[in-house]
């Protein structure tokens, strides 16, 4: 077969399908949790992005998640999030803590949700997510987005962005974005907020997270050329 003909197979359905037969996807197959939430940019908290987290628990104290902009087969891979327990977070150097946000408000407000399959009844989803919410309420996240889909939807351009979350009412996301998410997933954020009051304990987040609340400043990553020996 000529090189061009061989190369053309690369994008064919049979060639792509054969990958599962000849290659291992063990890290991907270890993912067992799908969480849906919203992020905003550390340097511009008026910009909000729906984020679908596909997570693996490396230990009781540490999770790692890949983030897509949807749950569709052609979803764009837009970033990563590391989720750490309070135990790990409080052990971090103070300089490191500025990159981390709390999950307390996300959980208690109903914004962070376990994304179940369409045929799963809402009541069943509420029960299924309780262990997760009880755990995540006390965790902290470090989130980097490598694709700013709100400003460059076609390609991942520019440096990565540090993302944050919400710590109180009135911070977002916009009402229409929230309604769109809830309608698609057959959920209701306000209802979840009320139901979670019935089982979530009182919790005060650890010092050091959500540093922007005290400083009023965001963080950006800038490109800097250095000598490479």
């Amino acid at each position: 077969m000529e090189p061009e003909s061989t190369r053309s197979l690369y994008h064919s359905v049979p060639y792509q399908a054969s990958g599962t037969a000849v290659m291992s996807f063990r890290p991907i197959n270890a993912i067992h949790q799908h969480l849906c939430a919203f992020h905003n940019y550390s340097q511009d908290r008026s910009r909000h992005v729906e984020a679908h987290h596909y997570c693996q628990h490396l230990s009781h104290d540490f999770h790692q998640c890949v983030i897509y902009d949807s749950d569709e087969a052609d979803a764009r891979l837009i970033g990563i999030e590391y989720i750490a327990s309070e135990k790990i977070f409080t052990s971090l150097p103070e300089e490191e803590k500025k990159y981390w946000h709390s999950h307390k408000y996300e959980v208690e407000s109903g914004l962070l949700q376990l994304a179940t399959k369409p045929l799963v009844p809402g009541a069943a989803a509420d029960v299924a997510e309780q262990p997760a919410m009880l755990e995540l309420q006390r965790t902290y996240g470090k989130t980097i987005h490598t694709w700013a889909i709100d400003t460059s939807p076609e390609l991942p351009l520019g440096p990565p962005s540090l993302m944050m979350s919400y710590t109180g009412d009135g911070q977002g996301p916009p009402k229409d974005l929230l309604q769109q998410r809830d309608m698609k997933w057959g959920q209701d954020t306000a209802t979840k907020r009320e139901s979670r009051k019935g089982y979530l304990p009182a919790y005060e987040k650890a010092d050091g997270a959500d540093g922007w609340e005290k400083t009023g400043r965001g963080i950006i990553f800038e490109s800097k050329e250095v000598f490479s020996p």
Side-chain angles (χ1 to χ4, degrees):
M1 186 178 289
E2 294 296 322
E4 281 302 309
S5 298
T6 301
R7 186 171 68 87
S8 67
L9 295 175
Y10 184 74
H11 294 290
S12 69
V13 173
Y15 183 82
Q16 293 180 15
S18 69
T20 57
V22 300
M23 288 179 278
S24 169
F25 298 91
R26 290 198 298 173
I28 303 302
N29 293 337
I31 290 173
H32 64 277
Q33 187 175 66
H34 177 190
L35 300 168
C36 182
F38 297 90
H39 296 152
N40 55 18
Y41 290 78
S42 175
Q43 78 274 20
D44 184 352
R45 297 182 58 79
S46 69
R47 295 167 60 191
H48 310 268
V49 179
E50 183 174 331
H52 289 262
H53 307 60
Y54 293 85
C55 305
Q56 173 193 6
H57 299 177
L58 292 181
S59 72
H60 287 180
D61 291 307
F62 193 76
H63 310 164
Q64 60 182 13
C65 310
V66 289
I67 302 174
Y68 292 85
D69 68 329
S70 77
D71 71 322
E72 302 298 330
D74 60 350
R76 292 167 291 188
L77 176 61
I78 60 174
I80 57 171
E81 178 164 0
Y82 300 109
I83 299 176
S85 66
E86 181 181 61
K87 175 184 175 182
I88 288 181
F89 176 74
T90 56
S91 72
L92 296 174
E94 291 302 314
E95 178 66 16
E96 170 64 23
K97 290 179 180 177
K98 67 184 181 182
Y99 301 114
W100 295 74
H101 61 266
S102 65
H103 290 136
K104 169 182 162 65
Y105 179 80
E106 277 191 276
V107 171
E108 295 176 359
S109 66
L111 286 172
L112 178 62
Q113 299 180 4
L114 197 68
T116 55
K117 293 180 179 180
L119 295 180
V120 177
D126 288 341
V127 173
E129 73 176 12
Q130 287 188 22
M133 296 305 129
L134 284 163
E135 179 71 18
L136 292 169
Q137 181 193 27
R138 298 166 177 265
T139 61
Y140 299 80
K142 182 179 184 179
T143 305
I144 309 294
H145 280 201
T146 55
W147 192 338
I149 57 171
D150 59 329
T151 58
S152 53
E154 299 300 325
L155 289 170
L157 305 178
S161 299
L162 180 69
M163 308 300 285
M164 289 291 167
S165 188
Y166 314 102
T167 59
D169 295 341
Q171 296 176 5
K175 186 176 180 180
D176 59 338
L177 186 61
L178 184 59
Q179 289 178 336
Q180 180 181 328
R181 188 278 298 268
D182 284 358
M183 185 176 298
K184 177 177 180 179
W185 291 94
Q187 303 287 356
D188 184 87
T189 297
T191 300
K192 283 189 178 293
R193 180 177 188 151
E194 290 304 308
S195 68
R196 290 177 184 177
K197 290 179 181 178
Y199 68 85
L200 288 173
Y203 174 66
E204 293 299 325
K205 66 183 181 182
D207 291 337
D210 310 310
W212 60 269
E213 290 183 304
K214 292 182 178 180
T215 66
R217 295 171 177 246
I219 294 173
I220 60 173
F221 299 130
E222 295 181 323
S223 175
K224 179 181 179 181
E225 294 187 3
V226 298
F227 176 71
S228 178

